[in-house]
Amino acid sequence: ALLNALDLECKTCLMPHQVHGTNVYTVAVGQSDYAAVRTEIEQGVDALIVEPSQVAALLCFADCVPVIIVSPSSVFAVVHAGWKGLVAGIVKKTFRLMMEADRTKGFSFSPKDYNVYIGAYIHAECFETGEDVRLAFAEAFGTDCVKDASHVDLGKALRLSLEGEGAD
């Protein structure tokens, strides 16, 4: 209904059951049994890599970080980066899987060739955490993403994660 209301040419929209994890699902070119794909992604997926041009991906966000990664090959990914998934490396994992898929197809893009878009999310001033979360972020990304004794900067952690992969 959304695709029709927006008069988009895509006829398939995939929406996974998000579980704040690190499962990434790739929708491959030539895959046409989208009912089977929907069944699989209902098991828990927090990132979709989409290769076919006529498929849309829809994820839901509250205060988690929405990340869209676009390859020069036109493949894109939508990532639900909650604090647990971010610490566990879902964005890096998705980025690496996209780069590997491009290499398999004969492309030799640099990490800097990919576009990364970050949507609205809870910022450090409002993201109050316990010590366990702050320690997890400090261990995963360094202390630059720990704003103070009770707040973590998800955006800074995401940027540090991507910079570690060679992206800008």
Side-chain angles (χ1 to χ4, degrees), residues 79-149:
V79 185
H80 171 248
W83 79 261
K84 290 179 183 178
L86 192 55
V87 167
I90 189 164
V91 177
K92 289 192 305 189
K93 179 180 180 181
T94 305
F95 193 73
R96 288 176 184 168
L97 287 169
M98 289 181 71
M99 289 185 61
E100 181 58 35
D102 280 340
R103 277 197 282 290
T104 300
K105 294 179 184 116
F107 297 110
S108 57
F109 302 125
S110 157
K112 294 177 191 276
D113 293 331
Y114 292 76
N115 291 324
V116 178
Y117 303 93
I118 301 169
Y121 62 94
I122 190 168
H123 285 259
E125 302 78 31
C126 299
F127 187 47
E128 190 170 352
T129 67
E131 184 177 1
D132 59 332
V133 174
R134 288 189 307 284
L135 289 173
F137 271 83
E139 185 175 319
F141 307 107
T143 56
D144 283 353
C145 64
V146 178
K147 183 175 168 115
D148 58 35

Side-chain angles (χ1 to χ4, degrees), residues 142-163:
T143 56
D144 283 353
C145 64
V146 178
K147 183 175 168 115
D148 58 35
S150 58
H151 296 86
V152 170
D153 187 336
L154 293 173
K156 179 72 172 179
L158 173 62
R159 285 186 285 285
L160 290 168
S161 176
L162 288 168
E163 287 170 4

